[in-house]
Amino acid sequence: MRSVALGCLEDMKAEETVEIDLVGKTSIADTMIITSGRSQRHVGSIADRVIQELKDKGFGNPRVEGMPACDWVLIDAGDMLVHIFRPEVRHFYNLEKIWGADRPADRLAG
């Protein structure tokens, strides 16, 4: 599931993608992916692609929040959460700091 989401993010030119391992930190999910789109339209397009690919690959219908505004879209696919932000909204909420993604092992290369 995470490889599908990460592939979509790369294909859609999402920016500053970070993956955080949540195993042992919380029961809400095993993986959190945080990324940015350049505009509301880009955020919405990225989210649409991730949602469609997860459905097409048999991972069911994820729960989605934030699609009308597209400042911050949350895709909850059960074991994986995907946050797609506009850059200034991402900076404001700073989820990476909250969940401890500042450790080198939690960052994605590229």
Side-chain angles (χ1 to χ4, degrees):
M1 178 181 340
R2 54 179 279 286
S3 63
V4 170
L6 291 170
C8 289
L9 297 177
E10 185 175 334
D11 290 348
M12 295 298 294
K13 308 240 183 295
E15 301 174 347
E16 298 182 36
T17 300
V18 175
E19 181 179 6
I20 303 171
D21 181 4
L22 296 179
V23 175
K25 294 181 184 177
T26 181
S27 61
I28 61 171
D30 293 337
T31 302
M32 180 184 297
I33 298 171
I34 303 170
T35 196
S36 296
R38 294 179 300 278
S39 64
Q40 289 172 317
R41 181 174 291 202
H42 191 212
V43 168
S45 295
I46 294 167
D48 284 338
R49 175 75 179 272
V50 172
I51 294 161
Q52 192 59 52
E53 284 293 315
L54 289 174
K55 288 179 187 178
D56 291 350
K57 302 287 188 204
F59 294 108
N61 291 329
R63 292 182 300 270
V64 181
E65 298 287 334
M67 280 300 277
C70 292
D71 285 328
W72 172 8
V73 176
L74 167 62
I75 301 169
D76 181 349
D79 290 340
M80 178 182 70
L81 300 173
V82 181
H83 296 272
I84 308 165
F85 289 98
R86 281 190 311 106
E88 53 275 15
V89 177
R90 180 177 181 171
H91 178 73
F92 179 80
Y93 286 101
N94 200 3
L95 292 184
E96 292 94 329
K97 184 172 183 179
I98 293 170
W99 289 98
D102 52 350
R103 296 181 317 215
D106 285 342
R107 288 205 173 265
L108 276 182

